[in-house]
Amino acid sequence: MKMSLMKKLSAGFLLAVIGAILIVSFISNYMVGKKFNNYLIDEHKDKVNKIIITAQDLYNDKTGFSNINKDELLRYAVLEEFYIQVKDLSGNIVFDSGNSHLQHRSMMESMMGTMMKSGMGNHSSMNVGEYKEEIHSLVKDKKNIGKIVVGYFGTSYLNQGALTFKMTLNHSFILSGFIALLFGLGVSFILAKQLTKPLVKITKTANEMRTGDLTVRSKVETKTKEIEELSASINYLAETLQNQEMLRKRLTSDMAHEIRTPLTTLKTHVEALLDGIWEPTEERLQSFYDEIERLTSLVDNLRNLAKLEQADLKLNKTKFNLSSELEKVILSFEPLYSKNNHIIISNIDKNVWVYMDKDKLKQIMHNLLSNGYKYLKSQGKVVVELKKEKEGICIKVQDNGIGIPEKDMPYIFERFYRTDLSRSKSTGGSGIGLTITKSLVESHGGKISVESKEEEGSTFIVKLPKQTICEIGKEEW
């Protein structure tokens, strides 16, 4: 049978409190009772010693045991519930306290009965006990003058005051345990409620997400770090799923748009040829070919993207001069930029040697420079920087083009994602180039990010780790 978390926590706390109360009560009762009994036994011994001293004082060297101060022994016997008998050297009884000790037994039995009726006290260790006698020699001035018999019941040291103290002590333990139990029950209920209430809310949020409502968010107020982190994780998951759902829908729309455009063009042209409106000229056949190339390029990009996103992407790493390779890539783009009155500028540190996949590096730069070129305004400019830093290598591609809207920044590296501004341009690509670039950079252990502002341009930043750098003259890895 399954129990709720609140019931389990409450039961666990309560069992811990009960266990602690029982352990503390048992140990405390045992230790205090033991020490108190030892104290009473020592007191008993002191009383016996006082009786012996008093009896020895009754002896006189001239008259022997006199009648002087015998009343004091009798009062002591009655007060302390002892039986006292004093004998001289001849064995004659010179003092006998009578049956005062029997009165003590009767009183003790009466008190024990009262305690048993009230259900209090440790009865097994507080019974009246058997009658006992101690015989001690009486010595005065190092001379044996007789003997003294001290009789008492086994627990004569448990007088009325001692019994009252023990009863009060036991009452205190029971009352304290009961109060502690109530306190523990209250605390366990409060703590369990504080822990389970936010968890119930988080569970409710997760269930709503499962039914398809990705707009829901977990709103819990708690001072528990782990629960707060769990709530934040659920909210992050909901936001991520919502964004992915938006991207999925946009992907479907974009793919339909990308495929429909060339197909529509082909269909229209073919219908015109079939109807005899157009003649199959070389120019029109070239238009057909261009549209087919667009579809082929789209399919190739999809295939390349699938390969890049595989976990076992293989890199053919070699040692080469990154500075020289970047200069070559920039040089290959200069005619394209010059043709449209754009300029490309390099600001590259010299002799930066790396251990990377050269072809993948060229593909990264080709995608970034092509992307920058497509969205330049009239007389645009692109600046390529290479800096060797303490943390590794930094490559920047900065343009003064149309920029990226702030709302599109989080999704710019998602597959098939294109901003509204890029879609309005006839040169807009398929939306896969930056996704491929990101995969290639991350395959080398690096990171790519973008900084952009509308109508001012964009800066793509590629950070490669320090491990990619190698020194000139070092053997190939």
Side-chain angles (χ1 to χ4, degrees):
M1 181 179 177
K2 294 183 178 180
M3 292 177 61
S4 66
L5 181 60
M6 183 173 181
K7 289 182 179 179
K8 285 187 176 181
L9 288 174
S10 298
F13 286 135
L14 193 58
L15 286 175
V17 170
I18 293 173
I21 291 172
L22 291 176
I23 292 171
V24 171
S25 298
F26 175 78
I27 294 175
S28 300
N29 197 16
Y30 173 77
M31 295 300 295
V32 172
K34 184 177 179 181
K35 290 292 183 181
F36 186 64
N37 286 342
N38 290 337
Y39 166 76
L40 293 177
I41 291 172
D42 290 339
E43 286 289 309
H44 171 78
K45 291 179 180 178
D46 289 341
K47 293 176 183 178
V48 172
N49 290 333
K50 287 181 181 179
I51 293 172
I52 294 172
I53 292 172
T54 302
Q56 289 172 164
D57 290 341
L58 295 176
Y59 183 79
N60 187 285
D61 290 336
K62 295 180 179 180
T63 61
F65 287 99
S66 65
N67 292 327
I68 302 173
N69 291 334
K70 286 184 179 180
D71 291 340
E72 184 177 351
L73 264 182
L74 182 60
R75 286 197 301 272
Y76 205 85
V78 174
L79 181 64
E80 301 296 343
E81 295 95 14
F82 285 114
Y83 168 70
I84 302 174
Q85 185 182 76
V86 180
K87 297 181 180 180
D88 58 17
L89 289 175
S90 302
N92 297 321
I93 298 175
V94 297
F95 176 79
D96 191 308
S97 63
N99 60 356
S100 60
H101 58 289
L102 296 177
Q103 298 175 0
H104 171 253
R105 181 183 178 93
S106 176
M107 180 189 68
M108 290 291 288
E109 289 177 341
S110 176
M111 289 185 64
M112 291 304 232
T114 302
M115 290 178 64
M116 290 183 69
K117 288 179 181 179
S118 61
M120 303 301 299
N122 187 354
H123 312 309
S124 61
S125 62
M126 294 173 59
N127 51 49
V128 176
E130 299 178 355
Y131 178 75
K132 299 179 182 178
E133 286 187 351
E134 297 180 12
I135 301 176
H136 300 273
S137 296
L138 297 175
V139 179
K140 190 171 185 180
D141 298 330
K142 298 181 181 181
K143 177 183 176 183
N144 190 5
I145 59 175
K147 294 183 181 297
I148 184 171
V149 178
V150 179
Y152 57 89
F153 289 97
T155 52
S156 65
Y157 55 86
L158 288 176
N159 53 33
Q160 185 175 358
L163 290 174
T164 302
F165 175 79
K166 281 205 165 188
M167 289 173 63
T168 304
L169 184 65
N170 287 329
H171 273 122
S172 300
F173 279 130
I174 293 174
L175 182 60
S176 300
F178 180 73
I179 294 174
L181 186 63
L182 292 178
F183 178 76
L185 182 62
V187 170
S188 65
F189 178 78
I190 294 172
L191 288 177
K193 190 174 182 180
Q194 287 180 347
L195 289 174
T196 55
K197 188 176 180 180
L199 290 176
V200 170
K201 290 183 178 179
I202 294 173
T203 303
K204 183 180 179 182
T205 302
N207 288 332
E208 291 179 5
M209 289 170 55
R210 186 174 62 179
T211 59
D213 184 5
L214 299 179
T215 61
V216 69
R217 295 294 182 269
S218 172
K219 297 179 181 179
V220 297
E221 295 181 1
T222 178
K223 295 182 179 179
T224 305
K225 181 181 178 181
E226 290 76 9
I227 294 179
E228 187 177 15
E229 290 177 351
L230 177 60
S231 176
S233 298
I234 287 291
N235 289 338
Y236 177 77
L237 177 61
E239 184 177 356
T240 303
L241 291 174
Q242 187 178 15
N243 292 336
Q244 289 297 320
E245 179 67 12
M246 182 269 292
L247 290 173
R248 185 187 65 80
K249 292 178 180 179
R250 184 159 184 167
L251 170 62
T252 304
S253 174
D254 288 352
M255 283 295 294
H257 174 80
E258 295 294 337
I259 295 173
R260 183 175 62 248
T261 301
L263 288 178
T264 301
T265 302
L266 287 171
K267 180 182 178 182
T268 303
H269 289 183
V270 170
E271 287 177 349
L273 290 174
L274 292 174
D275 293 340
I277 299 174
W278 281 0
E279 294 292 331
T281 64
E282 182 179 350
E283 182 181 352
R284 285 167 181 153
L285 291 175
Q286 182 63 43
S287 175
F288 290 175
Y289 180 80
D290 291 341
E291 295 301 329
I292 293 172
E293 278 292 301
R294 282 187 64 185
L295 287 172
T296 304
S297 177
L298 179 61
V299 173
D300 287 342
N301 282 335
L302 286 172
R303 184 184 62 186
N304 293 335
L305 182 60
K307 289 181 179 179
L308 289 170
E309 290 182 342
Q310 291 177 357
D312 58 348
L313 175 65
K314 294 182 180 180
L315 300 176
N316 183 24
K317 291 185 177 182
T318 58
K319 177 184 174 183
F320 63 92
N321 190 323
L322 178 60
S323 304
S324 298
E325 292 300 325
L326 287 183
E327 292 285 5
K328 292 177 183 179
V329 173
I330 293 170
L331 186 62
S332 68
F333 271 87
E334 283 183 352
L336 178 64
Y337 276 71
S338 299
K339 182 180 179 181
N340 291 279
N341 295 321
H342 300 319
I343 59 174
I344 181 169
I345 302 172
S346 64
N347 181 14
I348 296 175
D349 288 351
K350 302 299 181 181
N351 294 323
V352 178
W353 287 76
V354 294
Y355 185 70
M356 295 176 61
D357 189 318
K358 186 186 294 187
D359 292 334
K360 298 295 189 293
L361 183 277
K362 289 180 180 179
Q363 189 175 357
I364 290 170
M365 295 308 301
H366 184 276
N367 289 344
L368 292 178
L369 292 176
S370 298
N371 188 76
Y373 169 79
K374 289 175 184 177
Y375 305 115
L376 286 174
K377 294 180 289 188
S378 177
Q379 296 183 339
K381 180 177 70 173
V382 171
V383 179
V384 180
E385 290 186 2
L386 170 64
K387 298 294 181 183
K388 184 178 179 182
E389 301 175 343
K390 185 177 180 180
E391 297 80 11
I393 296 172
C394 179
I395 301 173
K396 291 184 180 180
V397 178
Q398 182 178 7
D399 66 68
N400 61 351
I402 60 176
I404 303 171
E406 185 176 355
K407 67 182 180 64
D408 296 318
M409 292 285 285
Y411 316 109
I412 199 66
F413 294 105
E414 297 291 341
R415 64 175 73 182
F416 298 107
Y417 190 88
R418 292 170 59 193
T419 67
D420 295 334
L421 294 177
S422 66
R423 186 172 294 284
S424 66
K425 292 181 65 70
S426 59
T427 55
S430 61
I432 299 178
L434 289 178
T435 306
I436 294 175
T437 302
K438 182 174 182 287
S439 298
L440 292 173
V441 172
E442 291 178 347
S443 68
H444 285 85
K447 293 182 179 180
I448 184 171
S449 59
V450 61
E451 298 173 356
S452 184
K453 194 171 183 180
E454 277 189 77
E455 301 302 328
E456 293 186 11
S458 305
T459 301
F460 287 87
I461 305 168
V462 176
K463 296 276 189 179
L464 296 172
K466 190 175 182 180
Q467 290 78 2
T468 59
I469 303 175
C470 60
E471 301 298 332
I472 301 175
K474 188 175 180 181
E475 294 293 333
E476 288 194 12
W477 299 1

